[in-house]
Amino acid sequence: MLAYVPMALGKAEVLRFRDALAGAPWEDGAPSGGASKTAKRNSQVPPDSELARKLGAAVGSALLASPAFVAAAIPLRIFPPLFERHEVGDRYDPHVDNAVRGDAMTGARIRVDLAATLLLSEPEEYDGGHLVVEDMFGSRDFKPRAGDAVLFSAGSLNMLTPITRGERISSFVWLQSMIQSDEARDLICDLDTAIQDLSPRIDGDDPDMRKLTTVYHNLIRIWGEA
Protein backbone atom coordinates (compact mmCIF):
# COMPACT_ATOMS: atom_id res chain seq x y z
CA MET A 1 0.00 0.00 0.00
CA LEU A 2 1.66 3.17 -1.23
CA ALA A 3 -0.21 6.10 -2.77
CA TYR A 4 0.71 9.63 -3.84
CA VAL A 5 -2.21 12.04 -3.41
CA PRO A 6 -1.71 15.35 -5.27
CA MET A 7 -3.41 18.51 -3.99
CA ALA A 8 -4.87 16.94 -0.87
CA LEU A 9 -4.69 20.52 0.45
CA GLY A 10 -5.14 23.50 -1.87
CA LYS A 11 -2.44 26.15 -2.18
CA ALA A 12 -4.56 28.78 -0.40
CA GLU A 13 -5.06 26.38 2.50
CA VAL A 14 -1.35 25.62 2.60
CA LEU A 15 -0.62 29.35 2.98
CA ARG A 16 -3.25 29.63 5.73
CA PHE A 17 -1.64 26.74 7.60
CA ARG A 18 1.83 28.23 7.18
CA ASP A 19 0.64 31.59 8.54
CA ALA A 20 -0.98 29.89 11.54
CA LEU A 21 2.18 27.87 12.26
CA ALA A 22 4.56 30.82 11.85
CA GLY A 23 4.10 31.91 15.46
CA ALA A 24 3.41 28.47 16.91
CA PRO A 25 5.26 27.09 19.92
CA TRP A 26 7.51 24.16 19.05
CA GLU A 27 8.68 21.37 21.33
CA ASP A 28 10.83 18.26 21.02
CA GLY A 29 9.10 15.84 18.64
CA ALA A 30 10.81 12.66 19.90
CA PRO A 31 8.09 11.64 22.44
CA SER A 32 5.51 11.18 19.65
CA GLY A 33 7.79 8.60 18.04
CA GLY A 34 6.63 5.95 20.51
CA ALA A 35 8.88 2.89 20.39
CA SER A 36 11.03 4.56 17.72
CA LYS A 37 11.45 7.90 19.50
CA THR A 38 15.24 7.49 19.76
CA ALA A 39 15.33 7.46 15.94
CA LYS A 40 13.45 10.76 15.68
CA ARG A 41 14.93 14.25 15.69
CA ASN A 42 12.56 17.13 14.94
CA SER A 43 10.21 19.57 16.64
CA GLN A 44 6.42 19.63 16.74
CA VAL A 45 3.53 21.81 17.79
CA PRO A 46 2.33 20.43 21.16
CA PRO A 47 -0.19 17.77 20.07
CA ASP A 48 -2.74 18.69 22.74
CA SER A 49 -2.63 22.44 22.02
CA GLU A 50 -5.66 24.28 20.69
CA LEU A 51 -3.76 25.20 17.51
CA ALA A 52 -2.76 21.59 16.75
CA ARG A 53 -6.30 20.34 17.32
CA LYS A 54 -7.86 23.08 15.18
CA LEU A 55 -5.48 22.63 12.27
CA GLY A 56 -5.60 18.86 12.68
CA ALA A 57 -9.37 18.86 12.23
CA ALA A 58 -8.90 20.84 9.02
CA VAL A 59 -6.32 18.33 7.76
CA GLY A 60 -8.68 15.44 8.51
CA SER A 61 -11.53 17.15 6.64
CA ALA A 62 -9.30 17.86 3.64
CA LEU A 63 -8.11 14.26 3.41
CA LEU A 64 -11.65 12.89 3.68
CA ALA A 65 -12.71 15.25 0.87
CA SER A 66 -10.06 13.78 -1.46
CA PRO A 67 -11.48 10.91 -3.58
CA ALA A 68 -7.95 9.60 -4.24
CA PHE A 69 -7.14 9.50 -0.53
CA VAL A 70 -10.43 7.85 0.45
CA ALA A 71 -10.09 5.26 -2.33
CA ALA A 72 -6.60 4.29 -1.14
CA ALA A 73 -7.14 4.48 2.64
CA ILE A 74 -10.82 3.54 3.10
CA PRO A 75 -10.50 5.35 6.44
CA LEU A 76 -12.35 4.37 9.59
CA ARG A 77 -10.62 6.52 12.24
CA ILE A 78 -8.01 9.27 11.95
CA PHE A 79 -5.65 9.98 14.85
CA PRO A 80 -5.30 13.72 15.61
CA PRO A 81 -2.70 14.91 13.06
CA LEU A 82 0.72 16.14 14.18
CA PHE A 83 2.49 19.24 12.86
CA GLU A 84 6.23 18.79 12.49
CA ARG A 85 9.24 20.96 11.66
CA HIS A 86 12.55 19.52 10.46
CA GLU A 87 15.52 21.90 10.44
CA VAL A 88 19.16 21.42 9.44
CA GLY A 89 20.41 18.16 10.96
CA ASP A 90 16.94 16.86 11.80
CA ARG A 91 15.95 13.44 10.47
CA TYR A 92 13.99 10.27 11.22
CA ASP A 93 16.06 7.10 11.06
CA PRO A 94 14.61 3.87 9.58
CA HIS A 95 11.70 2.65 11.71
CA VAL A 96 8.27 1.01 11.71
CA ASP A 97 5.41 2.98 13.26
CA ASN A 98 3.67 1.83 16.43
CA ALA A 99 0.82 -0.63 15.84
CA VAL A 100 -1.52 1.17 18.28
CA ARG A 101 -1.90 4.85 19.16
CA GLY A 102 -3.76 6.34 22.11
CA ASP A 103 -4.98 9.93 22.39
CA ALA A 104 -4.08 11.30 25.84
CA MET A 105 -6.88 13.90 25.70
CA THR A 106 -9.78 11.61 24.79
CA GLY A 107 -8.49 8.16 25.71
CA ALA A 108 -9.39 6.92 22.22
CA ARG A 109 -7.17 4.19 20.77
CA ILE A 110 -6.74 3.16 17.15
CA ARG A 111 -4.99 0.34 15.34
CA VAL A 112 -2.48 2.07 13.07
CA ASP A 113 -2.85 0.58 9.59
CA LEU A 114 -1.64 3.54 7.54
CA ALA A 115 0.46 6.66 7.85
CA ALA A 116 0.35 9.79 5.72
CA THR A 117 2.64 12.79 5.34
CA LEU A 118 1.06 16.03 4.08
CA LEU A 119 3.67 18.59 3.03
CA LEU A 120 3.33 22.27 3.87
CA SER A 121 6.75 23.29 2.48
CA GLU A 122 7.73 23.37 -1.19
CA PRO A 123 10.65 21.08 -2.10
CA GLU A 124 12.84 24.02 -3.15
CA GLU A 125 12.63 25.46 0.37
CA TYR A 126 14.93 22.77 1.76
CA ASP A 127 17.58 20.23 0.80
CA GLY A 128 17.48 16.64 2.02
CA GLY A 129 14.31 15.65 3.83
CA HIS A 130 13.33 12.85 1.46
CA LEU A 131 10.67 10.42 2.67
CA VAL A 132 11.93 6.91 1.92
CA VAL A 133 9.53 3.96 2.19
CA GLU A 134 10.39 0.29 1.76
CA ASP A 135 7.70 -1.85 0.14
CA MET A 136 7.53 -5.04 -1.92
CA PHE A 137 8.96 -3.16 -4.91
CA GLY A 138 12.00 -1.96 -2.97
CA SER A 139 12.95 1.47 -1.65
CA ARG A 140 10.87 4.41 -2.92
CA ASP A 141 11.82 8.05 -2.46
CA PHE A 142 9.43 11.03 -2.18
CA LYS A 143 9.87 14.80 -1.96
CA PRO A 144 6.30 16.08 -2.49
CA ARG A 145 5.02 19.52 -3.41
CA ALA A 146 3.26 21.55 -0.72
CA GLY A 147 -0.31 20.31 -0.39
CA ASP A 148 0.50 16.82 -1.67
CA ALA A 149 0.31 13.74 0.56
CA VAL A 150 2.05 10.37 0.61
CA LEU A 151 0.08 7.47 2.10
CA PHE A 152 1.81 4.24 3.06
CA SER A 153 1.42 1.14 5.19
CA ALA A 154 2.40 1.85 8.81
CA GLY A 155 4.07 -1.55 8.84
CA SER A 156 6.54 -0.46 6.16
CA LEU A 157 10.09 0.50 7.08
CA ASN A 158 10.31 4.25 6.50
CA MET A 159 12.69 7.13 7.18
CA LEU A 160 13.28 10.83 6.54
CA THR A 161 16.75 11.72 5.29
CA PRO A 162 18.57 14.53 7.15
CA ILE A 163 17.79 18.15 6.32
CA THR A 164 20.90 19.92 4.98
CA ARG A 165 19.36 23.35 4.16
CA GLY A 166 16.22 25.24 5.12
CA GLU A 167 13.28 23.71 6.97
CA ARG A 168 10.54 21.23 6.16
CA ILE A 169 7.05 21.78 7.61
CA SER A 170 4.52 18.98 7.38
CA SER A 171 1.52 17.34 8.97
CA PHE A 172 1.78 13.67 9.89
CA VAL A 173 -1.29 11.47 10.16
CA TRP A 174 -1.96 7.93 11.43
CA LEU A 175 -5.20 6.19 10.61
CA GLN A 176 -7.14 2.99 10.96
CA SER A 177 -8.69 1.66 7.77
CA MET A 178 -12.00 -0.16 7.45
CA ILE A 179 -9.91 -2.83 5.68
CA GLN A 180 -7.07 -4.16 7.83
CA SER A 181 -5.33 -6.18 5.10
CA ASP A 182 -3.02 -4.19 2.82
CA GLU A 183 -3.62 -6.69 0.01
CA ALA A 184 -7.42 -6.51 0.26
CA ARG A 185 -7.29 -2.71 0.51
CA ASP A 186 -5.15 -2.51 -2.63
CA LEU A 187 -7.66 -4.61 -4.57
CA ILE A 188 -10.59 -2.46 -3.44
CA CYS A 189 -8.64 0.70 -4.26
CA ASP A 190 -7.92 -0.56 -7.79
CA LEU A 191 -11.61 -1.36 -8.27
CA ASP A 192 -12.74 2.02 -6.91
CA THR A 193 -10.25 3.87 -9.11
CA ALA A 194 -11.41 1.95 -12.19
CA ILE A 195 -15.05 2.83 -11.41
CA GLN A 196 -14.13 6.52 -10.98
CA ASP A 197 -12.20 6.50 -14.27
CA LEU A 198 -15.03 4.79 -16.16
CA SER A 199 -17.86 6.89 -14.74
CA PRO A 200 -17.41 9.91 -17.07
CA ARG A 201 -17.39 7.58 -20.11
CA ILE A 202 -20.18 5.17 -19.23
CA ASP A 203 -23.82 5.87 -18.47
CA GLY A 204 -24.66 5.43 -14.80
CA ASP A 205 -27.43 2.99 -15.76
CA ASP A 206 -25.02 0.73 -17.64
CA PRO A 207 -25.48 -2.84 -16.29
CA ASP A 208 -21.75 -3.58 -16.24
CA MET A 209 -21.09 -0.42 -14.22
CA ARG A 210 -23.78 -1.51 -11.77
CA LYS A 211 -22.04 -4.89 -11.46
CA LEU A 212 -18.70 -3.25 -10.69
CA THR A 213 -20.28 -0.97 -8.09
CA THR A 214 -22.08 -3.94 -6.53
CA VAL A 215 -18.83 -5.91 -6.30
CA TYR A 216 -17.09 -2.91 -4.70
CA HIS A 217 -19.68 -2.49 -1.95
CA ASN A 218 -20.00 -6.21 -1.29
CA LEU A 219 -16.23 -6.59 -0.90
CA ILE A 220 -16.31 -3.86 1.74
CA ARG A 221 -19.17 -5.71 3.45
CA ILE A 222 -17.05 -8.88 3.51
CA TRP A 223 -13.72 -7.35 4.58
CA GLY A 224 -14.71 -4.10 6.25
CA GLU A 225 -15.33 -3.06 9.84
CA ALA A 226 -17.27 -0.09 11.10
Side-chain angles (χ1 to χ4, degrees), residues 3-24:
Y4 190 93
V5 183
M7 295 297 292
L9 199 65
K11 295 300 182 183
E13 285 294 282
V14 168
L15 291 176
R16 184 176 72 83
F17 275 58
R18 291 290 296 268
D19 286 344
L21 292 169

Side-chain angles (χ1 to χ4, degrees), residues 66-128:
S66 166
F69 180 86
V70 172
I74 316 176
L76 177 62
R77 299 182 183 91
I78 296 179
F79 192 78
L82 302 177
F83 293 88
E84 301 185 326
R85 179 178 67 186
H86 290 82
E87 301 176 289
V88 174
D90 287 351
R91 86 284 183 227
Y92 207 165
D93 295 335
H95 67 283
V96 171
D97 292 353
N98 281 21
V100 177
R101 285 277 167 181
D103 184 358
M105 286 188 70
T106 66
R109 291 164 63 84
I110 71 166
R111 182 188 68 236
V112 180
D113 297 321
L114 297 164
T117 296
L118 173 64
L119 266 293
L120 299 173
S121 296
E122 296 291 0
E124 57 268 22
E125 294 183 68
Y126 60 95
D127 293 332

